């Protein structure tokens, strides 16, 4: 056990820093820092993904046989930390962190050969079709139906909260293929081309004022049966496997640290850094120390591509709470200026001067949109149930 | 001792609540100023509710203004009742000459004059420092300075500006309140929508020339403290209205939304959360009432009650509003329901006239005044 970097790890750190210095253009960094929604826009992530793909650095968590970086756990940590410090955009996770690992584990050789390179290159932009109006926490009750007709499924129903459905050309969806037996056993995992006739999308605005999520409607949408992953009726198993990657196993603490430092910087500059606020910042910083060490422990124990298990629920839960604490520090650092509303979007495309400085502009929308962190990917109440069940056997 | 409402107070409560339920509840969009509504407030007598009887008002007090504000919180009213009527109205009543009172409060009551308010100059609310300068100019006055966060100046006809006649920026002595017409020469007003409703503005005053009668009264520090305490007490009542509204909405949602073949409220953790929210609302009701009852008391008792209320209600209100969002799941973080609009109103409530850190320190200081 060793908390210090070795010679070669330090050399790797320098390589990453040099790469970021040379390749992370100021416009991309600015666009990322001026995005108050949960995910960066494709307009930001696409050009960045191209640059990373040319270097072979798109998928640090993937095994090398599928085009991953072959990093050691320490290197993965250095990589993520340097990216966070530099303020690099976050690549869309729906392909890389979610459906990618499922295709690797359960896909056919043809599916792997077709989809995985397109995820790396960004040719496919994915969205996640899990939740429905009547099925959120109780996901297994989902009703969007895929009826078999020859070589096709005919899909009818509706998904909701679908992040970036309006940008995506592909959706991975959990669909009901049977009503027999347990409700979990009638679900299949299917890949849907978003250009298919019969799909329509309704935008939903979040409370920060951003368009990020949508409701998606399916009206007799034809999907080839060959777009199913694994066996019919086993979708629940694959879907849950995916959720472990969605919830944990990455390095989120570095981003939290970078955000907290920015808030502290605003407080120092504007004179709102009272003793009270300084202590709260220290308190959140300790939570980030703890989370960083947990992430390192988990990462050290996993080989790349492996699923993290139930600890992913713990990480997701605490990280969402830390995120909310950080954004709240931001609001308090702004003082009364937290109440200055700038309704125009996207911020990075505003070319006139605004009443707030650029680093201040995102603070309140980030706090407001941040309330979603304890809801998406499974609510905090659901995570606590999973922790009680899977970690404590209750 | 009797802490139940009088017949008049009950009537006021019923009529405001009925009006709000008909005209406001369920309205879409960000709460903003509506001139037709303001006119109705005037017709209903609410804009002259607090003015002294001698100035043509009804002479009501903080309890009555609290009744109105609680209903306005529930309705997410965007009109500047707090700024114009509670805060500026109180300053005019306590500092103005009888002639100024009759003229200004009369027009306020008739809905013909609205007031904005500009005091603090730091990022977090603090009554000091005030550096904005007032100097003699002939028979009148000249103002120079900047106010980064003026309340409801966008719709105002006249802005009450706190400026310094003497002393350094941190001094409590030498402050005056000036009536500055919204269209005064040398006054630059950059307005913005305020989170949760109403508006704000950045003011720049460069050689703003005012007449001899533009100053309200003399040394203004005590009157400002009192008026801002009354405004804070009123905002606490508004926060209570918000809390009560989201509690009811969340209870209703938890009873009707079904997951795992049972309503959300069938889960003990949800029931306990709702119970904690209800406790927070009851405490907010007690503390806001206490603040109203002591709003006219001497400074230490008033400060203890008002700062105590603001400290705790800010925390309770955030808890209630954030948990209301949480228990609505995805629906809670969208513009499709009004839950998020209530949360924004609470974020604004926390920051206006001092956050809970400011008021806890002020309350602690008030203890030593008593001892
Ligand atoms: C910004 C955002 C982005 C999202 N992106 C996507 C996406 O891309 N794809 C996708 O499929 N989904 C997405 N979601 C949906 C998300 O996964 C769901 O919102 C979440 O699972 C909760 O479901 P729900 O909203 O229906 O809330 P509900 O399940 O109705 O829950 C409401 C409240 O009740 C609580 N509750 C429910 N059941 C219990 C219980 N048994 N015990 C205790 N408490 C309980 C919940 O914790 C919550 O507080 C997104 C959501 C948001 C907010």
């Amino acid at each position: 056990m060793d908390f210090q970097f070795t010679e070669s790890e330090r050399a790797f750190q320098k390589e990453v820093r040099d790469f970021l210095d040379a390749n992370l253009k100021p416009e991309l960094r600015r666009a990322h820092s001026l995005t108050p929604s949960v995910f960066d826009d494709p307009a930001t992530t696409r050009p960045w993904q191209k640059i990373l793909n040319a270097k072979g650095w798109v998928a640090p968590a993937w095994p090398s046989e599928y085009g991953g970086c072959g990093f050691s756990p320490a290197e993965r940590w250095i990589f993520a930390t340097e990216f966070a410090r530099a303020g690099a955009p976050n690549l869309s996770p729906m392909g890389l962190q979610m459906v990618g690992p499922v295709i690797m584990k359960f896909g056919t050789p043809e599916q792997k050969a077709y989809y995985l390179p397109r995820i790396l290159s960004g040719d496919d932009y994915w969205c996640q079709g899990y939740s429905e109006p009547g099925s959120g926490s109780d996901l297994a009750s989902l009703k969007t139906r895929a009826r078999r007709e020859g070589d096709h499924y005919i899909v009818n129903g509706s998904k909701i909260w679908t992040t970036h459905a309006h940008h995506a050309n592909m959706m991975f969806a959990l669909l009901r293929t049977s009503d027999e037996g347990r409700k979990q056993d009638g679900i299949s995992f299917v890949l849907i081309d978003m250009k298919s006739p019969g799909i329509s999308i309704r935008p939903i605005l979040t409370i920060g004022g951003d368009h990020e999520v949508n409701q998606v409607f399916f009206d007799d949408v034809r999907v080839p049966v060959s777009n199913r992953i694994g066996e019919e009726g086993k979708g629940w198993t694959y879907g849950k496997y995916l959720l472990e990657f969605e919830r944990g196993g990455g390095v989120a603490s570095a981003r939290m640290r970078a955000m907290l430092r920015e808030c502290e910087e605003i407080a120092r500059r504007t004179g709102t850094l009272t003793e009270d606020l300084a202590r709260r910042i220290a308190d959140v910083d300790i939570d980030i120390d703890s989370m960083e060490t947990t992430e390192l422990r988990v990462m050290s124990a996993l080989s790349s591509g492996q699923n993290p298990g139930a600890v992913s629920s713990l990480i997701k839960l605490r990280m969402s709470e830390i995120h909310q604490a950080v954004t709240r520090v931001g609001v308090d650092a702004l003082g009364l200026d937290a109440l200055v509303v700038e309704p125009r979007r996207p911020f990075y495309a505003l070319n006139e001067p605004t009443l707030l400085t650029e680093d201040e502009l995102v603070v309140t929308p980030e706090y407001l949109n941040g309330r979603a962190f304890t809801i998406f990917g499974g609510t905090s109440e659901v995570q606590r149930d999973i922790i009680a069940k899977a970690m404590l056997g209750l | 001792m009797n802490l139940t409402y009088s017949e008049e107070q009950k009537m006021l409560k019923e009529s405001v609540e009925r009006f709000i339920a008909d005209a406001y509840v369920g309205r879409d969009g960000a709460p903003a100023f509506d001139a037709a509504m303001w006119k109705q407030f005037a017709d209903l007598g609410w804009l002259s509710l607090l003015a002294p009887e001698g100035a043509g008002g009804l002479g009501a007090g903080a309890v009555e203004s609290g009744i109105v504000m609680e209903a306005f919180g529930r309705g997410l009213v965007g009109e500047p009742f707090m700024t114009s009527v509670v805060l500026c109205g109180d300053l005019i009543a306590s500092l103005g000459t009888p002639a100024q009172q009759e003229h200004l409060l009369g027009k306020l009551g008739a809905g013909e004059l609205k007031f904005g308010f500009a005091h603090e100059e730091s990022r977090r609310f603090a009554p000091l420092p005030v550096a904005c300068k007032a100097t003699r100019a002939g028979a009148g006055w000249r103002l120079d300075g900047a106010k980064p966060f003026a309340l409801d100046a966008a719709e105002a006809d006249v802005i009450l500006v706190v400026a310094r006649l003497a002393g350094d920026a941190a001094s409590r002595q030498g402050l005056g309140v000036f009536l500055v017409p919204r269209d005064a020469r040398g006054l630059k007003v950059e307005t913005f929508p305020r989170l949760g409703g109403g508006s704000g503005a950045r003011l720049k005053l460069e050689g703003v020339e005012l007449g001899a009668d533009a100053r309200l009264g003399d040394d203004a520090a005590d009157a400002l403290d009192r008026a801002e305490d009354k405004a804070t007490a009123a905002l606490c009542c508004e926060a209570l209205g918000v809390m009560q509204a989201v509690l009811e909405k969340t209870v209703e949602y938890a009873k009707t939304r079904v997951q795992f073949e049972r309503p959300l409220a069938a889960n003990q953790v949800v029931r306990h959360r709702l119970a904690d929210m209800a406790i927070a609302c009851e405490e907010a009701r007690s503390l806001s009432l206490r603040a109203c009852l002591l709003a006219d008391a001497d400074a230490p008792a008033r400060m203890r009650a008002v700062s105590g209320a603001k400290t705790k209600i800010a925390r309770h209100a955030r808890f209630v509003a954030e948990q209301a969002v949480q228990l609505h799941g995805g629906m809670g973080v969208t513009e499709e329901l009004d839950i998020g609009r209530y949360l924004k109103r609470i974020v604004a409530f926390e920051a206006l006239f001092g956050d809970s850190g400011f008021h806890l320190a002020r309350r602690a200081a008030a203890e030593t005044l008593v001892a």
Side-chain angles (χ1 to χ4, degrees):
Chain A
M1 190 164 294
D2 192 352
F3 210 46
Q4 300 296 316
F5 291 139
T6 63
E7 196 67 39
S8 76
E9 284 160 359
R10 269 200 299 276
F12 177 72
Q13 186 178 45
K14 178 161 186 321
E15 186 190 349
V16 177
R17 280 189 188 167
D18 290 346
F19 172 83
L20 288 165
D21 281 345
N23 292 286
L24 180 57
K25 299 195 192 75
E27 323 71 278
L28 290 182
R29 182 182 295 158
R30 175 170 176 273
H32 170 67
S33 72
L34 281 175
T35 301
S37 44
V38 179
F39 295 128
D40 282 308
D41 288 343
T44 312
T45 57
R46 281 219 166 95
W48 183 228
Q49 183 157 349
K50 287 250 159 355
I51 294 167
L52 292 176
N53 196 36
K55 171 85 179 166
W57 274 5
V58 168
W62 286 19
S64 1
E65 56 172 315
Y66 295 120
C69 308
F71 291 157
S72 68
E75 285 169 341
R76 271 187 66 195
W77 191 79
I78 290 168
F79 186 83
T81 305
E82 292 302 325
F83 272 53
R85 262 193 215 143
N90 287 316
L91 298 185
S92 168
M94 271 82 81
L96 287 162
Q97 263 168 258
M98 299 190 201
V99 77
V102 168
I103 293 174
M104 278 176 226
K105 173 108 174 166
F106 304 106
T108 62
E110 294 73 29
Q111 287 169 333
K112 291 182 197 177
Y114 181 76
Y115 288 113
L116 297 178
R118 296 174 61 86
I119 291 175
L120 290 174
S121 65
D123 286 341
D124 285 337
Y125 196 96
W126 288 87
C127 64
Q128 176 184 29
Y130 275 28
S131 309
E132 298 180 5
S135 306
S137 298
D138 183 12
L139 184 59
S141 68
L142 61 90
K143 291 189 183 64
T144 298
R145 182 163 300 278
R147 176 168 46 83
R148 187 76 180 255
E149 209 179 271
D151 290 340
H152 283 82
Y153 287 117
I154 312 298
V155 181
N156 281 289
S158 172
K159 295 290 177 182
I160 197 168
W161 314 123
T162 323
T163 302
H164 284 191
H166 56 307
H167 297 306
N169 67 316
M170 290 297 295
M171 170 191 276
F172 56 89
L174 293 177
L175 302 176
R176 180 147 309 280
T177 42
S178 161
D179 291 320
E180 307 288 310
R182 284 193 331 146
K183 58 188 178 181
Q184 286 84 352
D185 296 336
I187 294 172
S188 299
F189 193 109
V190 178
L191 314 180
I192 302 175
D193 184 340
M194 293 295 283
K195 301 277 167 356
S196 316
I199 295 184
S200 55
I201 298 174
R202 177 178 77 90
I204 300 176
L205 284 189
T206 53
I207 53 177
D210 296 270
H211 175 203
E212 187 160 37
V213 297
N214 305 275
Q215 184 168 8
V216 181
F217 300 91
F218 303 88
D219 182 14
D220 282 337
V221 175
R222 294 172 66 82
V223 181
V225 169
S226 58
N227 278 21
R228 195 186 63 223
I229 297 287
E231 292 174 47
E232 191 168 281
K234 287 274 162 60
W236 185 248
T237 309
Y238 315 144
K240 276 203 315 185
Y241 178 82
L242 179 146
L243 283 174
E244 290 179 19
F245 289 91
E246 178 179 352
R247 289 168 182 163
V251 184
S253 54
R255 294 272 174 192
M256 296 300 110
R257 189 91 72 188
M259 273 177 80
L260 183 63
R261 288 287 95 85
E262 279 165 31
C263 296
E264 190 175 8
E265 184 50 42
I266 292 174
R268 188 161 289 133
R269 189 182 68 224
T270 58
T272 55
L273 192 59
T274 56
E275 197 178 321
D276 192 33
L277 190 58
R279 286 192 180 155
R280 272 180 45 217
I281 291 173
D283 200 70
V284 180
D285 217 13
I286 299 167
D287 285 338
I288 298 174
D289 284 347
S290 159
M291 186 45 65
E292 179 184 288
T293 315
T294 305
E295 284 185 330
L296 281 167
R297 281 200 294 130
V298 171
M299 195 181 275
S300 300
L302 290 180
S303 55
S304 53
Q306 201 183 336
N307 57 317
V311 73
S312 60
S313 284
L314 180 153
I315 291 176
K316 194 272 169 180
L317 174 68
R318 286 298 292 140
M319 201 62 82
S320 62
E321 292 172 347
I322 291 171
H323 181 272
Q324 292 178 342
V326 171
T327 57
R328 186 62 219 195
V329 165
V331 168
D332 293 340
L334 240 54
L336 286 162
D337 274 356
L339 314 189
V340 176
V341 175
E342 172 52 81
R344 293 173 294 177
R345 293 291 188 282
F347 288 149
Y348 57 79
L350 293 179
N351 291 316
E352 312 109 83
T354 47
L355 287 170
L356 300 177
T357 61
E358 291 205 333
D359 58 347
E360 295 166 359
L361 213 47
V362 287
V363 167
T364 303
E366 261 176 356
Y367 159 77
L368 292 168
N369 289 333
R371 301 314 306 171
F373 277 64
T374 47
I375 294 168
F376 63 66
T379 67
S380 294
E381 289 76 14
V382 165
Q383 304 303 341
R384 286 192 169 88
D385 269 346
I386 296 174
I387 291 167
K389 214 181 276 172
M391 291 178 81
L392 305 177
L394 296 172
Chain B
M1 166 96 26
N2 177 3
L3 291 191
T4 58
Y5 288 130
S6 68
E7 282 311 310
E8 286 85 8
Q9 289 167 336
K10 275 189 209 153
M11 273 165 57
L12 174 67
K13 190 170 157 64
E14 271 167 33
S15 77
V16 185
E17 284 177 356
R18 194 166 342 104
F19 181 86
I20 293 300
D22 291 345
Y24 280 89
V25 171
R27 278 211 310 193
D28 275 347
F33 180 74
D34 178 340
M37 283 294 182
W38 194 251
K39 178 76 179 63
Q40 291 200 57
F41 290 4
D43 295 344
L44 287 159
W46 298 342
L47 302 183
S48 49
L49 181 70
L50 304 177
E53 285 170 51
L58 299 172
V63 173
E64 284 78 10
S65 96
I67 287 171
V68 173
M69 287 292 284
E70 184 183 336
F72 282 11
R74 176 178 291 268
L76 290 173
V77 170
E79 286 70 23
F81 181 83
M82 182 278 291
T83 304
S84 244
V85 179
V86 181
L87 176 60
C88 294
D90 192 72
L91 280 170
I92 294 165
S94 68
L95 289 171
T97 62
Q100 280 174 322
Q101 290 189 35
E102 200 180 320
H103 173 68
L104 297 171
L105 296 179
K107 292 228 164 198
L108 170 65
E112 290 160 15
L113 262 189
K114 291 181 298 297
F115 298 99
F117 181 71
H119 176 184
E120 75 276 2
E121 297 176 8
S122 29
R123 286 291 193 109
R124 283 170 91 229
F125 171 84
L128 294 169
V130 170
C132 179
K133 232 172 45 188
T135 43
R136 279 277 176 198
W141 302 94
R142 179 195 152 114
L143 298 195
D144 291 277
K147 298 285 177 182
F149 197 87
L151 286 168
D152 296 302
E155 301 78 20
D157 307 289
V158 175
I159 305 168
L160 267 56
V161 175
V162 181
R164 175 166 298 288
L165 295 114
D168 59 37
S171 167
R172 232 183 108 76
Q173 273 77 47
L175 294 178
V177 175
F178 292 85
L179 298 159
V180 180
R182 168 76 165 75
D183 54 5
R185 277 186 49 196
L187 172 66
K188 212 176 119 207
V189 184
E190 273 186 292
T191 65
F192 52 85
R194 194 168 81 219
L195 188 76
S199 74
R202 302 235 196 275
L203 304 189
K204 277 218 174 69
L205 302 104
E206 283 168 3
V208 175
E209 306 256 348
L210 304 169
D213 58 352
R215 184 171 178 203
L216 273 183
D218 288 326
D219 220 33
D222 289 345
L224 279 167
D225 270 355
R226 202 174 326 112
E228 285 170 352
D229 273 346
K230 285 187 182 174
T232 306
L235 282 174
C236 286
C237 297
E238 186 189 70
L240 170 65
V242 169
M243 293 166 74
Q244 197 67 45
V246 292
L247 173 66
E248 286 165 22
K249 282 165 190 282
T250 310
V251 166
E252 195 48 41
Y253 192 74
K255 286 200 289 196
T256 46
R257 169 78 173 167
V258 171
Q259 291 288 279
F260 305 102
E261 284 110 40
R262 58 185 188 269
L264 300 180
N267 299 294
Q268 191 178 44
V269 71
V270 173
R271 285 212 306 279
H272 284 190
R273 188 88 45 84
L274 290 167
D276 284 337
M277 290 162 69
I279 293 168
C281 287
E282 280 307 309
E283 289 188 2
R285 181 169 297 287
S286 293
L287 284 169
S288 59
L289 182 62
R290 193 181 176 93
C292 291
L293 290 168
L294 290 165
D296 285 304
D298 288 342
R302 188 189 74 225
M303 283 163 65
R304 282 162 51 96
V306 171
S307 285
K310 184 77 201 287
T311 303
K312 291 278 176 183
I313 299 176
R315 290 183 202 156
H316 285 351
R318 189 200 303 179
F319 169 72
V320 168
E322 289 184 346
Q323 290 308 318
V325 170
Q326 179 68 20
L327 291 174
H328 278 80
M331 288 307 291
V333 293
T334 67
E335 296 282 0
E336 318 235 312
L337 293 183
D338 50 14
I339 296 296
R341 288 199 282 281
Y342 284 109
L343 170 64
K344 291 177 204 178
R345 186 74 149 220
I346 290 303
V347 175
F349 162 69
E350 289 180 70
L352 290 172
F353 299 109
D355 56 23
S356 58
F358 171 88
H359 281 285
L360 191 57
R362 187 169 181 262
R363 159 87 193 210
E367 301 298 339
T368 61
L369 283 179
V370 177

